[in-house]
Structures are given as C-alpha cells and as structure tokens.
Amino acid sequence: MKYPPLDNAIYTKNRDRFVKQMVPGSIAIFNSNDELPSNGDALHPFRQNSDLYWLTGIVQEDSMLVLFPGNPDQRFREFLVLTRPNELKEKWDGHRLRREEAMNISGIRQIVWLDSLDGLLQPMIHLAETVYLNTNENDRKNNQVPVRDYRFAAEMRHRYPLHQYRRSAPILKLLRAVKLPGEIAVMQQAIDITQKTFERVLQFVRPGVMEYEIEAEIWHEFIRNRATRPAYNSIIASGNRARVLHYIENNQECKNGELVLMDFGAEYGGYCADLTRTIPVNGRFTPRQKEVYDACLRLHDYAKSILKPGITLLDYTDKVGIEATKEFVKLGLLSRSDVKNQDKDNPAYRKFLYHGISHHLGIDVHDLGTRTEPLQAGMVLTVEPGIYIENEQMGIRIENNVWLTKTGNKDLMAKIPIHADEIEKFMNAKKAKVKS
Ligand code: GLY
Ligand code: MN
Ligand code: MN
C-alpha cells in the first residue's frame, strides 16, 4: 500500500454495525478475493474484496474474517485469518502481514493462521444455528466466474447441510452506502488528489496533444500523491469520442476547436473519487460549446439541488429528465412536438442523455446502495448529467461527488474548477513549472 494505514476505528465501527444486524446464534464468514491469473505465470494485480476491506482494511490474498458475537469462547468472537508468513515465498513476493501489523490495521485482537482454521471453525459452526455467507449482489453484476465466495458457499452447504444460511450482501448494501465521517475524510483525500491532477491537466492540454499523454499525466500525478491507482480506466475522449460512455482507447489526437471529455478519479486508501470535466482543447470554448456547456452545468446544479434524503434515485432521475427536456428544447435539440409526442417509457431527452444521473460511490466506483429506496443522510453519490449531440459530434459531461447531509448535500468537489470561465482562466494562466 502506498498510503499510510487509515484510522482502524473505521473498520471497528463497520464490524459493530454489521454485528448489530446479525440474528442471534449466527456466525458470519467473509473471504478475500482470489488472485486472478492473466496469462503464462502472471497474475492480475491483487484487488481485495470490497466487503472484506470495509470490515478489516486488510489488503492481502487468502485472508478471511469470522464474526461470531455469541461465541461462548469470548476470545473468538471476531478473528482475522491470514496466510502464515513463509520466508522463502517472501523472497519472491515480498512481505506478508505479521500478527501485530494486522492487528494495527484492522483493530482485530485475534489473528489465526489459515492452516489452523479448519480445526478451529469446526466446533464453532456446530454452536451456531445460522451461517451468513457473502456473494457480490451488485445490481449490474451477473457473475459467471466461480470465484472464491461462491466456491466457499458451495463447500459450506456441502459440509453443513442442516444449518440455516443467510445472505450478508443485503446487510452490507444498506450499511456500506451510509458512510462514516472517517470514510468521508478518506474519500476527500482521493478527491483532493484528483483535483490536483485536474489542475495539472488543465495546464497540459493544448492542440496536438494525444489522449494517452493526458492519461499519462493523470497516472503520474496520482501515484506521486500516494493514490493506489486510478479508481477505474480513465476516459480521455476528445471530439466525437466523448459520446462513447466507456471510451478508454485514449489513442487520438486532441484537435484545435474540439472539446475533450475527461472522466477520471484517484483511488486512495481503498476509496474512489469520480470526476468528469469537459474542456476546450485550445483553452477557449466556442459560443455553441459554451451554450451547451452552460446548459449541462445548469442541469448539474439542478440535480444537486434536489439530491437529498427522502428522494429515490428513480424519482430523482425522472425530475432531472424533465429539466433536461426543457434545456434540450432551448438548445434546439428537441422541438415542442418531439416532447408532446414522446413515449413516456423512453422520453425524448434520452436521445441526448442516455445514462443515469447519479450512482453511489465508495470503495467501489459504482458502490453498493439502493435505487428504489429513499436516499439517506451519509450516502455519497455522483452527480453527472451529460449532453451528447451526434449531429454536432460533441459530448459534454460534468461530474462531482456529493455527501448527503440531513437536509441536502455537501459537494466534496466544490473546490474543483467547474464554470466555463474558471476553466478558461486556468488553461490560459501562465504555465506553472510542472514538476516532472
Ligand atoms: N467513471 C464511471 C462513471 O462515471 O460512472
Ligand atoms: Mn465518472
Ligand atoms: Mn460516475
């Protein structure tokens, strides 16, 4: 990890919150992710299971967490399972956590080596009526790969067929969506790194620059500020590419007179930032670009103004859609008759804005959280309307991250330049000496 350990009170509180939701006489078991093969003898970089990270802060393969709040043996009401350090393996793959280090990171007092888990767990399972197991229940995920959680669940059901089994995922979905102040502080660090990076990029972009050169500037500024990596593949989409939502080739030249849409965010301390800005390659918006940009910014501000506890994401999206329709009429994209004759299930505005306006954000960039239940204070969401115009070969999106308060929200990206004139000013300011 490039970042210093976070305050382990975050994980201790998260475990308390989970335990409070468990039924009496139950045990919950969580697994790390698999190390995933790529080709030959190579592995993809290890990515911890988000739920295990939220509960422990541990980023190491083959780790597990067991929560058994009713265990008559008080020493094992919560314990962390880690692979036993192996000196020879460490000569190849580097240091693995010792007990003391793992205790400091997670706040868990009891550490068990993986090779002794089986004998320890057997009697415990017999003392419990119910076993909580976990799978990835993200709404967008249709899991086809038999990853560790699924293999573990099948094995448990095979070995202990008469137990009750419950899903941890619905509990985690509710809990992880509402962030603790300590988590917000970490997210703010991810956002501050992203801000610094955006300001660097504003001074870097000029006609003739390649999209991948901008991507390289982003990596550079992220890593030197202790981000672990980009939170997702950066989208650097100049000209007409901006209409492709997941454009990640980033291999074209940014041309004079075009806009460049940049959607990127740092991952710091296990949490994501998710920023989008659209800027003029030559440092000046044309009148039409500014007209569309300002319409997108008004939509962004409107969306932010209604994103508060009590509203559901579904209702919120409908409301922003009504506002988008008005803006698109003003921009000459929709006629009054387009609106009058529109299909209510596929409103006319969706031709120019064909994605959601907000998603939950946290350890995952598309974080756990409900779309259908009312939003609650403590949730962090993006606000990201866009306008994509095929005839004009133009795409604009403006994305910030907000934290819901009791009565509204706090924009965690409030300090990042967003108005057209601020962006122009930054781009045309005397170039700061960019540190290499
Ligand atoms: N960068 C991914 C998203 O905005 O949802
Ligand atoms: Mn984004
Ligand atoms: Mn987003």
Side-chain angles (χ1 to χ4, degrees):
M1 290 182 309
K2 296 183 181 71
Y3 56 90
L6 308 184
D7 178 358
N8 64 26
I10 295 176
Y11 315 116
T12 303
K13 283 190 194 135
N14 286 343
R15 289 192 298 278
D16 284 350
R17 292 165 77 198
F18 187 89
V19 163
K20 284 202 178 80
Q21 303 297 319
M22 293 171 70
V23 298
S26 61
I27 186 168
I29 308 174
F30 302 89
N31 285 289
S32 61
N33 277 346
D34 284 316
E35 291 184 281
L36 290 175
S38 58
N39 284 298
D41 64 354
L43 297 172
H44 287 287
F46 179 66
R47 173 90 201 192
Q48 185 53 291
N49 177 284
S50 299
D51 296 318
L52 188 66
Y53 184 78
W54 183 82
L55 290 158
T56 65
I58 297 293
V59 183
Q60 185 167 288
E61 74 286 355
D62 293 327
S63 43
M64 296 171 77
L65 170 71
V66 180
L67 299 173
F68 187 13
N71 192 347
D73 184 344
Q74 290 190 22
R75 293 170 307 156
F76 291 96
R77 289 191 170 165
E78 67 168 18
F79 59 94
L80 191 63
V81 183
L82 295 177
T83 189
R84 191 187 291 275
N86 171 323
E87 275 181 32
L88 179 60
K89 193 169 180 323
E90 288 192 346
K91 285 185 179 158
W92 287 77
D93 298 331
H95 181 77
R96 291 297 183 267
L97 293 170
R98 303 300 191 260
R99 282 179 199 278
E100 199 65 35
E101 292 166 322
M103 284 180 195
N104 287 338
I105 292 171
S106 64
I108 297 172
R109 308 311 313 160
Q110 188 64 259
I111 312 292
V112 168
W113 300 128
L114 182 59
D115 53 23
S116 54
L117 176 66
D118 227 26
L120 186 75
L121 205 52
Q122 179 83 5
M124 277 187 210
I125 297 284
H126 294 157
L127 289 170
E129 275 301 314
T130 304
V131 183
Y132 283 89
L133 298 176
N134 199 19
T135 58
N136 179 356
E137 295 191 14
N138 189 297
D139 291 346
R140 298 186 190 207
K141 183 80 174 184
N142 173 10
N143 188 59
Q144 303 285 344
V145 182
V147 292
R148 185 174 294 222
D149 273 334
Y150 291 76
R151 298 195 308 273
F152 186 74
E155 187 191 325
M156 289 296 286
R157 284 174 172 277
H158 175 72
R159 285 171 68 173
Y160 309 106
L162 299 185
H163 277 70
Q164 313 266 355
Y165 287 90
R166 282 184 172 245
R167 292 147 56 214
S168 299
I171 301 176
L172 290 161
K173 183 172 184 166
L174 290 176
L175 295 180
R176 267 182 52 192
V178 176
K179 272 70 181 176
L180 300 170
E183 292 179 285
I184 298 298
V186 183
M187 291 186 80
Q188 188 68 63
Q189 281 177 276
I191 287 168
D192 291 347
I193 295 170
T194 306
Q195 167 169 2
K196 217 169 158 188
T197 304
F198 177 55
E199 288 173 6
R200 178 185 181 101
V201 163
L202 279 176
Q203 297 235 305
F204 178 77
V205 171
R206 62 192 180 281
V209 83
M210 299 299 287
E211 293 166 348
Y212 54 74
E213 291 181 271
I214 301 175
E215 186 180 3
E217 290 295 305
I218 291 170
W219 272 96
H220 178 91
E221 196 65 28
F222 278 1
I223 303 298
R224 69 204 288 267
N225 284 287
R226 307 181 84 160
T228 309
R229 63 196 137 213
Y232 50 90
N233 290 322
S234 302
I235 298 165
I236 311 298
S238 60
N240 197 28
R241 266 80 55 196
R243 296 187 305 105
V244 179
L245 300 181
H246 291 163
Y247 173 80
I248 52 169
E249 282 81 3
N250 302 347
N251 60 5
Q252 298 296 308
E253 183 184 329
C254 300
K255 300 217 170 83
N256 196 7
E258 288 180 340
L259 297 174
V260 55
L261 181 157
M262 301 177 297
D263 184 341
F264 63 94
E267 182 194 304
Y268 177 86
Y271 288 79
C272 300
D274 185 4
L275 173 79
T276 309
R277 289 290 184 269
T278 311
I279 66 172
V281 170
N282 65 13
R284 297 269 172 224
F285 289 91
T286 65
R288 176 60 174 171
Q289 287 168 346
K290 182 155 186 312
E291 188 181 21
V292 181
Y293 189 91
D294 286 347
C296 190
L297 186 55
R298 280 195 298 277
L299 266 186
H300 177 100
D301 288 340
Y302 171 76
K304 219 158 41 185
S305 75
I306 61 167
L307 192 61
K308 44 176 98 159
I311 197 164
T312 66
L313 277 180
L314 293 177
D315 289 346
Y316 159 82
T317 306
D318 286 346
K319 285 200 157 115
V320 177
I322 292 168
E323 206 60 21
T325 305
K326 291 186 211 156
E327 290 289 355
F328 296 175
V329 170
K330 277 195 256 165
L331 288 174
L333 301 176
L334 292 176
S335 67
R336 303 221 176 264
S337 78
D338 288 333
V339 178
K340 200 162 149 230
N341 300 324
Q342 70 184 346
D343 172 359
K344 262 175 53 191
D345 293 330
N346 184 22
Y349 83 84
R350 291 198 63 84
K351 184 171 172 205
F352 305 98
L353 168 48
Y354 34 84
H355 57 70
I357 309 297
S358 291
H359 57 81
H360 293 266
L361 180 72
I363 293 174
D364 294 326
V365 67
H366 294 157
D367 209 32
L368 296 179
T370 173
R371 288 181 57 71
T372 51
E373 298 293 311
L375 296 175
Q376 295 174 37
M379 293 177 166
V380 175
L381 292 117
T382 63
V383 176
E384 51 180 307
I387 305 178
Y388 310 95
I389 312 174
E390 189 174 353
N391 287 345
E392 300 179 45
Q393 309 243 304
M394 183 198 298
I396 292 177
R397 182 164 65 252
I398 305 173
E399 176 174 25
N400 276 14
N401 306 154
V402 306
W403 180 30
L404 266 56
T405 58
K406 281 199 189 116
T407 54
N409 64 63
K410 176 170 189 255
D411 188 344
L412 301 174
M413 290 184 158
K415 289 191 283 178
I416 304 185
I418 194 167
H419 289 101
D421 55 354
E422 283 177 281
I423 287 172
E424 288 183 345
K425 204 165 138 206
F426 255 93
M427 292 186 78
N428 293 296
K430 196 164 164 294
K431 303 281 179 226
K433 201 164 167 261
V434 173
K435 286 195 213 122
S436 59

